[in-house]
Amino acid sequence: MSDADGQAEGRRGFADLLLDLRVQAGLSQEELADRAGLSVRTIRELEAGRVARPRKDSVRLLSEGLGLRDGDAGKFLAAAGHATVRPVIAVADPAPTGLRWRGTRPIPDGLVGREKELLELEKLLRQNRLVTLVGPGGVGKTELALAAADRVSSVDTAVVVVDLTTVQRDAAVPSAILDAFGTAPGTSDLDDVLSGRKPGDLVIVEDNAEHVLDGVATVANRMVRSFPGIGVLVTSRIPLGLPDEVVRRVQVLGVPANDTDFTDIAASPAVEMFCRRAARVRPDFELTPENAAIVARLCQRLDGLPLALELAAARAGSLSVETILAALDDRFRLLSGPRRFGAPHQRTLADTIAWSVDALSDPARQLLYRASMLGSPFTLDAVVGVCTGAPIEAADVPMLLAELVDKSLLQPVLEFEALYGARYKMLETIREHAYAGLSSQGSDLTEYRDRSVAWCAKYVVGLDGAWSSPDRDRRYRAANANSATFEVALERAAELGEWDTAAQIVLGFRIAWQYQASVAESGIQWASVCAENVEDKEISGRLLAIAGRLSNLTGDVRAARRHYGEARTLVAPESEMGLMARGGWVSSGSLLLDTQSLAEIPTLVADARAHGDVQRSATVQAISGLALARWGRLPEAKELLLAWEAALVNPGVYPDEIAYMALSRVELELGNLEEARRWAELAREAQASDDPERTKVAGCLAMVELQAGNYELAGELLDEADADIRGHRGYFDYLVMLYRSRLARRTGDLEQARLSIRDAVNRLQVEGRVVYLLDVLPEAVAVLHGLEKSEQADELCGKLLAWQRTMDPPMLPTAWAVLQESCERADVAEGWPQADPAAAVQRLADDVLAALS
C-alpha cells in the first residue's frame, strides 16, 4: 500500500469510528459539537474523512463529548494517529508564513486618549512574555490590546488575534488558537505551530478570556514556559493568576473636571470620543462653547466608559445631547441599541454589566448590590458596618471586595490613599445595575438605607475628641473618605423626618468636610437644612456656624458672613461653638472690609482666653491675628499669632500651616526677611506633602525669595504652588498670582503679568475677598503702565493714592511700595473718602478688569 493510500485509509477508519460512536451515543453533529466545544464544521470534516491528521486537542475534546473512558478513549486517540509515543514532526516554516497579522485589526480611530497607556503597554510587551489587560466590560480593553499589538508587529514579529467570545469550554481554547492561525479544521497540534520560533517572533492576543479563564491560563502558562519565541497578550475582566503574568488595569477615559472651562472640556478624552462617534451619525456635530457644558455633564454621567459613550453617541443622530443627558436616569433603556459586532454579552450596555454580575458568587453579588447604596467612593469600614448579614459575614468582606475588584466591578481608589485610607468606587453604570438588583429584593433597599443612618450616627460618636487628639488628621480624613455614605444617611434621615439624628451626624462630621473642599458644598447644604428643621435653637446655631466655616472654605465669603451672623444670635457667645461662630464672623467680616469685625476682636480674644480651653483660645487668637493682618495692624497681628505659636507646647494644640503662613506674611511686610523665611519653612513642615485641597506653602516661600532678590528660586517655587492651586481655592492663592505677575514684569513678560494679575483680581472679586484687592490693585497699575495704558493706569493710581490717605485699612507696605514706584505722574483723585469702602474697592477692581481685558 502506498503512503497516500495508507493516509486515506487512516482518515477513513477514524471517520467511520467517529460516526459510529456518535450514532451510538444518540447525538447529532450539532449536539456533539456543543458538548465538545468544537464547531459543527470540524465534526462534519472529520466524519467525511477530509482531515489528514486530526488535532490531538480536538480528539480529546471529542472523546470527552462522547463520554469515552480509559481504554476506549486511548483507542480513539490511537485511531486518530496519536499514540502514546508519536513521531517528531519537523516544522520548517512556522505558520503564519510571511504574514504579519492574522485576525481582527484595530479600528483606525478606535483609541482616544490612550497614548500614555499605549506606550506603557508597548514597552511591557517588549519586556514581558505574558501581559493581561483587565477592566470592566466596555472599558476598551480590546482596542487597546489590538493597537499595542500593532505597535510591536513588524516584518520580524507576527500577531495572531484569537477571539474567544464563542468558545464555550476551557478545553476548546487550544483549538480556537489553532483556528486563528488558519490551520485546517482538526489538523495538527498547537505545539507544532509554536515550536521553532525565535524570541520576539510572535505575539498572540487572546481577547475576551474571562469566561474560559482556566483554559486560557493553562495554555498561556505552557506558551510562556515552553516557547521562548512567543509573547501573549490577554484581555479579560479577571486576571489569570499566573506567576509570570503582568497585570495592567484599563481605566475609563478621563472626564472634564467641570462643565464651565471650555479648554478643559475640549481636552477631555471622553468628550473627544463622544464627539468623534457622534459625528459618524451626525456629520455636522462638533463641540462648541454652546454645547460644551451639556457634553461634559453627559460624559461625567457615563463615567467616561467607552462602550457607554459609543452607544450614547449613536443616539445623537436622532436625539439632541440635552435629550440624551435627560434620559440617562434610565440609561439601560436609552443605551439598548445593539452593536453588530463583538461578543454577545457586549452588544448592549445592560448585557455587558449583567454578564459580569451573573458570574459572581452569591455573597459577592449581594455585597455588590448592597454597596451600591453607599454612594461612591466608600470604605471597608462602611461596608462592614452597613452591608453585612446573611449571606455575608463581616470576616469575609475583605475577600469579597477583592473578588469584586478582581472581576472589575469595583475599582480601588489609589489617589491620596495615604491621606484617606483604602477606598473603593463603583462606576455609575455598574452602580445603577446593582442598585436595581437591590431594589428588586423586597425590603432590602429600605433596610440597608436605614442601616446607613444608624452606622453614621454611631461613627460620629467615635469622632468625639478627635480635634484635640494627636492623630486628628488621620481620624478626620478617614471619616472624609466616607463622605458619600454620610450623604446617603442624611438623605434617608431627612426622608424619615429624623432631624435630630441628621443634626447629630452633621455636628459630628463637621471637621471631616473641611478636609476636602470639593465635598464641603454638601456639608453647607445639610448644615443649613438641619438648622431650619431642628427645634433646639442652640443646635440650630451650631449648625449655622458649621455652614459658615464650610462656606468660607469654598470661597463664598458673603455666605460665610451670613451664616456666622445668624449663628451668633443663637449660640451662647462664650461656648466653644459660640467662639467659633464669632471668630468666623470676624474673619469673614475682615475680608469684606466690615469695621464691626475689627471692633469685636478685643472682646473675642478676652472671652477665648477666659474659656479655659487652651486649644480653642489659641485658635481664636490665630483667627483674630490673621484678621488684624488684613487690616494692616501688623504689630497687633504678630502679637496674637505669636500667642498661638506659644500655645503649641500644650497638649491638643497642633501646628497649622495657615497660621505659620500668616506669621511669615506679617514678618515680610515688616521687612524681617529671615524671620519670614523661618515661618514659611515651618508652614511647609506642618502641611502634608500630598494634601490635595490646600494651596501649597511654596507660594509663601516664593514671596520671601522674590523679596530677597532670589528670582530664579522664586520662579521655581511659584511653579510648584501654581500647579497645586489649579482647580480649587486656597487661602493664599491670589498671592501666587500676584507674585507671578511681579516676577513676569521684572523679566519683561508683560503678557504673563497681565494674565496673572487679571486672574488674581477676578478671583478675589468672584469670591468676595475684598480686602486682598488692596494688595493686587497697585500691581495692576504697574502692569498697565508696562502695557502703555498710561491713562487708565494714572486714573487708577490717583484713586489708590486717595484711598491710602483717607480710607481704612491702608495698603500693606509691599503693595504701597509698588504703587509709589508706578505713580510718578498721577494726581490724587477727588471725591474720597467713600461711604462704602468695600463697594469702592470693587468698583476699582471692575475698572481694572476692563482695562486688562
Side-chain angles (χ1 to χ4, degrees):
M1 184 184 297
S2 67
D3 288 344
D5 291 339
Q7 291 173 1
E9 183 64 26
R11 290 199 300 270
R12 187 66 261 158
F14 178 74
D16 291 342
L17 178 59
L18 174 60
L19 177 59
D20 289 343
L21 291 172
R22 178 174 64 78
V23 171
Q24 290 173 21
L27 300 172
S28 66
Q29 289 182 338
E30 289 77 9
E31 289 169 334
L32 178 57
D34 184 61
R35 284 191 177 191
L38 299 173
S39 68
V40 176
R41 177 191 170 207
T42 297
I43 305 294
R44 188 177 299 119
E45 295 285 307
L46 288 169
E47 289 188 353
R50 288 194 288 269
V51 177
R53 193 162 184 275
R55 295 176 187 163
K56 190 174 183 179
D57 293 322
S58 298
V59 176
R60 285 174 175 160
L61 291 172
L62 287 169
S63 177
E64 293 175 13
L66 292 166
L68 302 182
R69 295 289 181 269
D70 303 328
D72 290 338
K75 293 175 182 176
F76 186 68
L77 198 63
H82 297 290
T84 304
V85 179
R86 50 173 299 223
V88 176
I89 301 176
V91 181
D93 294 307
T97 304
L99 292 177
R100 191 174 72 94
W101 193 282
R102 276 195 179 275
T104 307
R105 297 300 301 261
I107 300 172
D109 66 342
L111 280 187
V112 176
R114 297 287 196 195
E115 189 59 33
K116 182 178 178 181
E117 294 98 320
L118 191 56
L119 289 172
E120 182 192 11
L121 186 52
E122 179 186 358
K123 184 177 179 181
L124 286 175
L125 284 173
R126 295 187 188 282
Q127 295 177 347
N128 299 276
R129 301 286 312 288
L130 174 59
V131 179
T132 302
L133 292 182
V134 175
V139 80
K141 301 182 293 295
T142 296
E143 287 304 323
L144 180 58
L146 294 177
D150 192 44
R151 287 278 186 98
V152 301
S153 65
S154 64
V155 174
D156 299 323
T157 303
V159 174
V160 175
V161 181
V162 185
D163 185 356
L164 297 168
T165 55
T166 60
V167 177
Q168 300 301 314
R169 297 179 59 192
D170 291 312
V173 171
S175 294
I177 295 173
L178 285 169
D179 286 341
F181 271 90
T183 57
T187 60
S188 188
D189 272 339
L190 192 54
D191 289 9
D192 299 339
V193 177
L194 301 181
S195 298
R197 294 185 178 277
K198 299 177 181 178
D201 180 51
L202 176 65
V203 172
I204 298 177
V205 179
E206 298 185 62
D207 191 28
N208 293 302
E210 54 273 348
H211 60 296
V212 283
L213 207 62
D214 289 342
V216 171
T218 299
V219 175
N221 188 57
R222 183 156 62 94
M223 286 179 181
V224 298
R225 294 298 180 94
S226 303
F227 303 101
I230 297 168
V232 180
L233 175 59
V234 179
T235 73
S236 174
R237 302 186 192 186
I238 310 168
L240 301 182
L242 295 175
D244 295 320
E245 179 185 28
V246 175
V247 178
R248 284 296 179 271
R249 295 194 176 275
V250 181
Q251 303 297 328
V252 294
L253 295 175
V255 300
N258 59 69
D259 60 4
T260 57
D261 187 332
F262 181 77
T263 302
D264 178 60
I265 293 170
S268 160
V271 169
E272 182 182 354
M273 181 174 185
F274 177 82
C275 292
R276 282 192 191 182
R277 297 297 186 265
R280 289 180 176 179
V281 296
R282 187 172 147 194
D284 64 337
F285 185 87
E286 61 180 355
L287 187 72
T288 66
E290 290 71 32
N291 68 11
I294 298 295
V295 173
R297 289 197 287 272
L298 176 66
C299 293
Q300 290 166 348
R301 288 286 308 278
L302 294 174
D303 302 305
L305 187 67
L307 175 59
L309 292 169
E310 178 185 307
L311 293 172
R315 296 295 191 192
S318 54
L319 300 174
S320 69
V321 181
E322 291 87 348
T323 303
I324 296 172
L325 178 61
L328 280 185
D329 288 340
D330 189 358
R331 68 184 62 203
F332 294 113
R333 182 187 296 273
L334 174 71
L335 308 180
S336 60
R339 303 192 297 173
R340 304 302 180 190
F341 65 94
H345 58 274
Q346 291 184 341
R347 294 180 183 174
T348 71
L349 192 61
D351 289 342
T352 299
I353 305 303
W355 190 94
S356 292
V357 174
D358 292 345
L360 293 171
S361 64
D362 185 53
R365 187 183 308 109
Q366 291 301 320
L367 185 65
L368 182 73
Y369 286 171
R370 296 173 191 179
S372 69
M373 49 70 56
L374 290 176
S376 185
F378 54 83
T379 67
L380 172 65
D381 287 341
V383 176
V384 172
V386 179
C387 301
T388 50
I392 301 169
E393 298 292 336
D396 293 334
V397 168
M399 176 189 68
L400 295 173
L401 286 173
E403 179 182 346
L404 294 173
V405 170
D406 284 344
K407 295 185 178 178
S408 304
L409 289 165
L410 286 182
Q411 288 79 44
V413 182
L414 302 178
E415 189 179 22
F416 311 127
E417 185 175 12
L419 287 172
Y420 298 115
R423 293 182 293 166
Y424 303 89
K425 67 180 179 181
M426 193 181 299
L427 296 181
E428 182 62 22
T429 302
I430 296 173
R431 194 204 68 80
E432 187 172 317
H433 178 94
Y435 196 79
L438 182 65
S439 303
S440 68
Q441 296 183 165
S443 61
D444 280 7
L445 178 58
T446 300
E447 176 188 348
Y448 290 103
R449 293 184 72 207
D450 289 345
R451 288 178 65 173
S452 74
V453 177
W455 181 77
C456 288
K458 181 179 179 182
Y459 188 104
V460 296
V461 172
L463 288 176
D464 285 347
W467 180 253
S468 300
S469 66
D471 61 344
R472 69 177 184 183
D473 278 357
R474 181 192 63 78
R475 291 174 65 183
Y476 282 130
R477 285 194 168 110
N480 178 275
N482 284 304
S483 298
T485 302
F486 274 80
E487 183 84 14
V488 170
L490 288 166
E491 287 177 357
R492 179 58 178 164
E495 286 178 15
L496 297 172
E498 296 179 357
W499 292 109
D500 289 341
T501 301
Q504 174 194 350
I505 291 173
V506 172
L507 289 168
F509 198 66
R510 66 185 186 279
I511 305 299
W513 269 312
Q514 297 179 24
Y515 278 79
Q516 196 173 0
S518 59
V519 300
E521 295 284 355
S522 174
I524 296 168
Q525 173 196 345
W526 284 111
S528 302
V529 170
C530 290
E532 292 175 4
N533 287 279
V534 294
E535 295 182 2
D536 189 308
K537 297 302 181 184
E538 176 82 11
I539 292 177
S540 179
R542 295 172 66 191
L543 290 165
L544 288 170
I546 293 169
R549 178 70 184 92
L550 296 173
S551 295
N552 191 55
L553 178 65
T554 60
D556 193 345
V557 179
R558 296 177 183 87
R561 177 73 164 173
R562 185 177 68 255
H563 291 311
Y564 279 133
E566 293 180 44
R568 288 170 75 240
T569 67
L570 298 171
V571 184
E574 294 83 13
S575 67
E576 180 178 345
M577 196 61 74
L579 292 171
M580 173 186 164
R582 293 166 64 194
W585 186 79
V586 164
S587 179
S588 56
S590 69
L591 289 167
L592 294 167
L593 292 180
D594 187 332
T595 55
Q596 290 179 316
S597 297
L598 198 63
E600 174 86 4
I601 289 178
T603 305
L604 173 62
V605 171
D607 288 345
R609 288 172 174 170
H611 180 263
D613 186 318
V614 177
Q615 188 273 332
R616 179 55 58 193
S617 174
T619 301
V620 168
Q621 290 182 90
I623 291 171
S624 300
L626 186 53
L628 286 168
R630 294 172 185 142
W631 281 82
R633 309 290 202 269
L634 299 175
E636 299 167 67
K638 180 177 177 180
E639 180 183 351
L640 287 177
L641 288 166
L642 287 175
W644 162 82
E645 194 268 342
L648 292 176
V649 298
N650 294 286
V653 185
Y654 302 104
D656 181 273
E657 71 273 14
I658 302 304
Y660 279 137
M661 290 168 71
L663 273 166
S664 178
R665 180 80 194 284
V666 168
E667 296 287 14
L668 183 67
E669 294 295 342
L670 291 173
N672 304 324
L673 284 181
E674 287 309 310
E675 278 297 287
R677 182 179 285 111
R678 182 172 74 87
W679 293 121
E681 289 171 349
L682 285 171
R684 169 167 273 182
E685 292 174 12
Q687 184 181 39
S689 61
D690 51 356
D691 189 334
E693 291 296 335
R694 297 182 182 174
T695 304
K696 283 233 189 277
V697 293
C700 187
L701 280 164
M703 292 186 288
V704 176
E705 299 302 342
L706 193 144
Q707 206 72 18
N710 301 322
Y711 302 116
E712 184 175 349
L713 176 56
E716 293 173 359
L717 289 165
L718 286 172
D719 288 341
E720 181 182 339
D722 187 59
D724 183 69
I725 66 175
R726 293 187 183 278
H728 70 269
R729 300 176 176 89
Y731 289 98
F732 283 73
D733 51 4
Y734 83 96
L735 286 172
V736 175
M737 303 171 191
L738 170 62
Y739 275 78
R740 172 75 73 195
S741 175
R742 289 181 182 174
L743 186 62
R745 186 162 52 82
R746 183 184 177 279
T747 60
D749 189 350
L750 291 175
E751 178 59 17
Q752 176 64 64
R754 182 186 73 84
L755 293 173
S756 295
I757 202 64
R758 185 195 66 183
D759 288 348
V761 173
N762 186 62
R763 191 158 187 165
L764 293 175
Q765 277 282 69
V766 169
E767 296 176 0
R769 295 188 284 169
V770 179
V771 69
Y772 293 142
L773 288 169
L774 295 173
D775 291 341
V776 302
L777 290 177
E779 175 65 16
V781 172
V783 172
L784 287 171
H785 274 305
L787 295 170
E788 299 183 353
K789 294 187 175 185
S790 298
E791 183 177 347
Q792 295 101 315
D794 288 342
E795 181 181 354
L796 176 61
C797 185
K799 293 177 180 178
L800 289 174
L801 289 172
W803 176 284
Q804 192 74 352
R805 290 186 180 185
T806 62
M807 305 290 285
D808 190 32
M811 281 174 272
L812 294 174
T814 55
W816 176 236
V818 171
L819 186 68
Q820 288 179 304
E821 292 172 4
S822 306
C823 286
E824 296 178 358
R825 300 184 303 276
D827 297 323
V828 179
E830 297 181 358
W832 295 73
Q834 298 280 316
D836 186 341
V841 173
Q842 288 174 299
R843 283 195 295 271
L844 294 179
D846 287 338
D847 293 341
V848 164
L849 289 175
L852 291 173
S853 296

